Amino acid sequence: MATAGATTGAVVAEHTSSYRVKFKRKEFLELVEIARPRIIYHRKRMHFFAFDGFVMYTFECEDRDLLDKKVMHAIEFSNMQWSE
């Protein structure tokens, strides 16, 4: 299971820069409608997804704000290079 998460993280990392873009709740939800991500990831207080080469994130959303979206609960979020 951890391997699948690490693989997904590595795939996302291949398609994004190291830059992360932070949004307030309203703007994040607006961007979700524009970007139409297949999956939004959730770790502790943060919801995030990759779009336009960046990781878009907010600390101001709840899962209930994203009822019509697939939210995957992650066990770790890191900007460190992946290694076993």
Side-chain angles (χ1 to χ4, degrees):
M1 219 168 201
T3 303
T7 302
T8 300
V11 170
V12 169
E14 286 177 9
H15 299 289
T16 62
S17 74
S18 61
Y19 289 99
R20 297 178 302 268
V21 184
K22 184 177 180 180
F23 291 91
K24 294 204 172 279
R25 180 185 175 278
K26 180 182 176 216
E27 288 77 11
F28 184 82
L29 294 174
E30 183 177 339
L31 187 58
V32 166
E33 290 304 312
I34 292 168
R36 301 181 189 269
R38 288 183 30 227
I39 300 171
I40 297 174
Y41 300 91
H42 177 226
R43 174 68 181 137
K44 293 187 178 180
R45 297 176 21 235
M46 181 173 35
H47 284 83
F48 61 97
F49 65 96
F51 176 68
D52 208 18
F54 303 99
V55 173
M56 310 299 187
Y57 74 100
T58 188
F59 290 120
E60 299 181 2
C61 281
E62 301 290 332
D63 285 355
R64 66 178 173 258
D65 295 324
L66 303 158
L67 288 178
D68 61 335
K69 304 294 179 190
K70 176 69 176 172
V71 176
M72 296 293 297
H73 296 274
I75 59 171
E76 181 179 348
F77 180 82
S78 173
N79 63 351
M80 303 296 288
Q81 182 100 10
W82 186 81
S83 66
E84 272 190 87

